[in-house]
Amino acid sequence: SLFPPSLFLYIKKKHHPINFPPPPRVALPVPSLQLNCYPPAIMTGNEIRQAFLAFFEQREHRVVTSAPLVPERDPTLMFTNAGMVPFKRLFLGEETRDYTRATTSQKCMRVSGKHNDLENVGRTPRHHTFFEMLGNFSFGDYFKAEAIAYGWEFLTNTMGISPEQLVVSIFREDDEAFAIWHDQQGVPEERIFRLDEKENFWQMGDTGPCGPCSEIHLICGPVCDAPKCDPSCECGRYLEIWNLVFMQFDQAEDGTRTALPKPSIDTGMGLERLAMVMQGVKSNYDTDLFQPIIQHAAKISGHGYGDNDDHDVSLRVIADHVRACTFLIGDGVLPSNEGRGYVLRRVLRRAARHGVLLGVEEPFLCEIASTVVKEMGGSYPELVERLPFIQDTLRREEERFLKTLSRGLQLLDDEIKSLRRDKRSHLSGEIVFKLYDTFGFPIDLTEDILRGEELAYDRPAFDACMREQAERARAAWKGSGDATSAEVYNPIASRSKTRFVGYEDLEAKSKIVALIRGGKEVTDVAEGDRVEIAVEVTPFYAESGGQVGDSGWMEGESGKVEIEDTQSPIDGIRVHVGRVVLGMLRAGEEVALQVDPETRSATIRNHSGTHLFHWALRKVLGPQVTQAGSLVSPERLRFDFTYDDPLTTDQIEEIENLVNRRILENAPATVQEKGYQEAVESGAIAIFEEKYGDRVRVVSFGDFSTELCGGTHTRSTGDIGAFRVIHQTAVGSGVRRIEARTGLGVLEYARNETHLLNEAAGLLGTANADLPERIRKMLKREKELEKELEKTRAAMRRGGSQDPLQNAREIGGMRVVASEVGDANPKELRALVDELKQRIGSGVIFLACRNEDKVSLAMGVTKDLIDRFQAGALIKEIAGIVDGSGGGRPDFAQAGGSDASRLEEAMEKFVALVEASA
């Protein structure tokens, strides 16, 4: 166990003197869902997902792969929390795609803001953090009649649910929807409920697209005693299954609504809830989407599911949270102390804490993750590839938490002892918050321990700390995109999209679509102006996937621009950033574009070298190593990857040898375009931070390296020239960074190293080959001189006016030394205290040394007196006087302070403390 036995008593129930209260229970009437129909067979969650997507694909909907849980270019959201999120820009008219109908099974997370379901997870039948949202969408194509018909047909025909068990709700003013449900679909009037805006009107925000919605509900309980029982009643009679949103208005700031020129459809249906209905169970957790995970956790914990209510809550929390953690880490989120990483850490630690409550004393979440991937890897194949990384991340974070939990219990134990000693009954709210925020203690665990000790805590102070934390989080949250870019670039994209021809060519002729100066579109630019230029066709690669944008030139009849960078601010267009160096350019004129061939060549050597390095890294360190970021420029390549320890010299050399052998083989590069699912299933590596469409570009070198990549590359490995690692460092918890060079960069780096060696050898007057031995001798001589200097200083103190024993005094029959010494570092102070303890025989010693405004302190107590005096405790009291802190053993302690002006006061305090205890 990672817990000290005395601390584990707090949380292991069979030893705990306190009775843990049961978690709050939510009484929800959930009768058995007896469907008055006969589906062909009970459908699994995977079968329902596939049936839904196939249903809409047959009706001309594009099946779109689920977007990541981290929204792209959306500063308003921390996570993708609904199926429509990946299409927001499409609904807002900020981008266009080559389809007007789509269907998805979208990964979603709801753990913050108004969708914070965290505390309810595991305690109710249908609350989750991670879930899948089934949806079909129309972007100005079909509208209410078709959306209603599709929804009704899927549920009643494909799923086989009896129409008699379904009711619908509509917005109170939506007569059109009523007519469609009643006249076209034959739903009786008494089973169509008109509800108000709170229930059946949808808005994207205070302004913008909005519209009425219609929900389909399952009758799953008896009529309640309320005067009016409808789908808004909380009695549990009606279970919402599907929400059909009719996006038909644009709401202005004053609240007025005007009709949208292209009304659209956005629907959402939770897969977990539909699986519960189709499998005839009472809870989402009883479906096959959760049961294999719950049973795995039950086996590890030794507690059967269904045997104990409290244990069942913990097993459900673990199942839900491990699903969430698996998908978050799979989408590139890593545990941290802010933003998305903090949410992941909190969810992960809640799962680990419930494991502790079940008596699991070692990391186990990584094992549960294997079952998540086994059950869901068929629909999300990227999880299979990333499983080693997911498990490694979970294991490391859980180990940290268990150690942190132990330290938190020790802190709480110390605080309780302090309360007893000071005869106080309330723990400070700040300490409770520290336990919650730093050590991951849920408030109910702290409350339970305090209750067992008949103590309380300052709840208002704790709440104030929580509010401050929320403010800090809001201030630190930077979102994930630039919301203002749409205003400038969307009008351009609506007129013309940029076609990229730079895989094959470095030159092209095209027409200027737009000129942007100072953030505004203009008709012309003149010499000296900084400008962004959009054209119809370009050979310039826009920064993406870690590869920097191309540089080069653009020239028209009357002007020339030096292009410094190329960017793609929104999907569909590329802007060339630079300065007009000659004449002027006008929108609409023809221009010649030329990519700088030298910088492009250097960049592609580094990019292809990155692929080979990634392959070699996984070969040397194992497949659990996963890319966590990259930068490819003409000068160098930078590669971040998941790994705890620095690479050894032998590992780096092995990687370099593997890469350079492949370069010498001159293996050809091949590029193919495939469907995303097909590419991943064939073994291509997908990178966390990248966004992939339904069709992807697969870049392979020989038969050893295959990755999804939109960047530019060499035609064969031989074109890379050479490869050399130049630097490694840590960039975060569990993430390492390697910098390397290729081609002429390797030669340049080698020359610089040679110049440095020659200069060092010249300064020391020796040959390059003799440098190591010469340096070793110099370091040895330096240590000898340092020892001689320490001896000389010590001798001066013993024999001269600096000898601290000259200031010794007798207090209570023992010798006490309180002295300031000059020119001594902490190491020398320690040695001097040890020497004085031997010379003094019996006594207490306090030495101090000033260093400008700071002060170093050291204290020693001879062995015969440590029952009366504790050096560590004494120095803690004294260090505070000089604005410092410290500690140590009973016989020796050290401290530092930042206020040397109060050193004499500290000396007096020391003497007073000794006298009081003498």
Side-chain angles (χ1 to χ4, degrees), residues 120 172 446 856 871:
N120 292 322
R172 62 174 182 265
T446 304
S856 297

Side-chain angles (χ1 to χ4, degrees), residues 140-429:
D141 189 333
Y142 63 83
F143 199 45
K144 289 183 186 180
E146 295 89 342
I148 289 173
Y150 289 150
W152 196 249
E153 181 184 359
F154 178 77
L155 290 177
T156 58
N157 291 348
T158 306
M159 293 291 101
I161 300 175
S162 170
E164 283 70 35
Q165 278 207 267
L166 298 174
V167 302
V168 297
S169 62
I170 62 173
F171 180 50
R172 62 174 182 265
E173 300 171 9
D174 196 352
D175 295 332
E176 181 185 5
F178 178 89
I180 295 170
W181 279 117
H182 184 266
D183 300 339
Q184 297 183 23
Q185 300 303 323
V187 179
E189 182 174 354
E190 64 271 16
R191 289 198 284 119
I192 304 175
F193 296 89
R194 293 178 182 263
L195 301 180
D196 59 18
E197 286 188 319
K198 179 182 177 182
E199 301 294 336
N200 279 88
F201 197 90
W202 175 90
Q203 292 178 261
M204 189 178 290
D206 293 334
T207 61
C210 62
C213 56
S214 182
E215 296 170 334
I216 305 175
H217 307 261
L218 182 77
I219 303 173
C220 60
V223 178
C224 73
D225 296 330
K228 183 181 180 182
C229 182
D230 60 32
S232 66
C233 183
E234 296 182 0
C235 68
R237 171 172 170 76
Y238 300 102
L239 176 70
E240 179 194 335
I241 301 177
W242 203 344
N243 187 14
L244 314 176
V245 175
F246 310 131
M247 204 177 300
Q248 65 184 101
F249 301 114
D250 182 18
Q251 180 163 304
E253 290 184 5
D254 61 3
T256 58
R257 295 168 183 162
T258 56
L260 288 171
K262 292 184 177 180
S264 297
I265 292 294
D266 158 29
T267 83
M269 175 166 55
L271 173 63
E272 292 80 4
R273 188 172 295 193
L274 184 58
M276 180 187 72
V277 171
M278 295 306 299
Q279 294 172 21
V281 293
K282 297 181 180 181
S283 165
N284 293 0
Y285 293 99
D286 294 333
T287 68
D288 72 311
L289 293 170
F290 285 93
Q291 274 300 304
I293 308 168
I294 288 174
Q295 295 302 330
H296 191 173
K299 182 178 179 181
I300 290 175
S301 69
H303 296 287
Y305 186 63
D307 294 345
N308 177 282
D309 288 346
D310 292 346
H311 295 163
D312 288 353
V313 169
S314 290
L315 290 170
R316 290 193 290 266
V317 170
I318 290 167
D320 174 274
H321 285 12
V322 175
R323 287 207 331 161
C325 292
T326 299
F327 276 89
L328 282 172
I329 298 169
D331 277 350
V333 180
L334 294 175
S336 69
N337 290 326
E338 61 183 12
R340 299 184 179 101
Y342 178 76
V343 173
L344 169 61
R345 173 164 284 167
R346 186 181 177 198
V347 171
L348 193 157
R349 290 186 171 190
R350 287 188 91 249
R353 199 260 304 185
H354 278 276
V356 171
L357 293 178
L358 292 172
V360 183
E361 304 174 20
E362 299 291 339
F364 75 105
L365 301 181
C366 56
E367 298 180 45
I368 308 296
S370 65
T371 299
V372 176
V373 174
K374 178 182 177 182
E375 296 298 319
M376 306 190 75
S379 299
Y380 300 97
E382 68 273 13
L383 291 179
V384 179
E385 166 69 25
R386 297 167 185 174
L387 178 59
F389 168 66
I390 292 167
Q391 290 185 303
D392 186 55
T393 302
L394 286 169
R395 183 184 297 106
R396 287 187 283 104
E397 183 65 20
E398 193 174 2
E399 286 173 349
R400 289 190 185 97
F401 171 64
L402 292 176
K403 292 175 182 176
T404 301
L405 185 62
S406 176
R407 293 196 298 271
L409 286 168
Q410 182 65 67
L411 171 65
L412 185 55
D413 192 28
D414 290 344
E415 291 295 332
I416 290 172
K417 289 177 181 177
S418 177
L419 290 176
R420 297 291 188 215
R421 187 171 56 250
D422 299 339
K423 297 181 179 180
R424 291 180 288 120
S425 62
H426 279 68
L427 186 63
S428 77

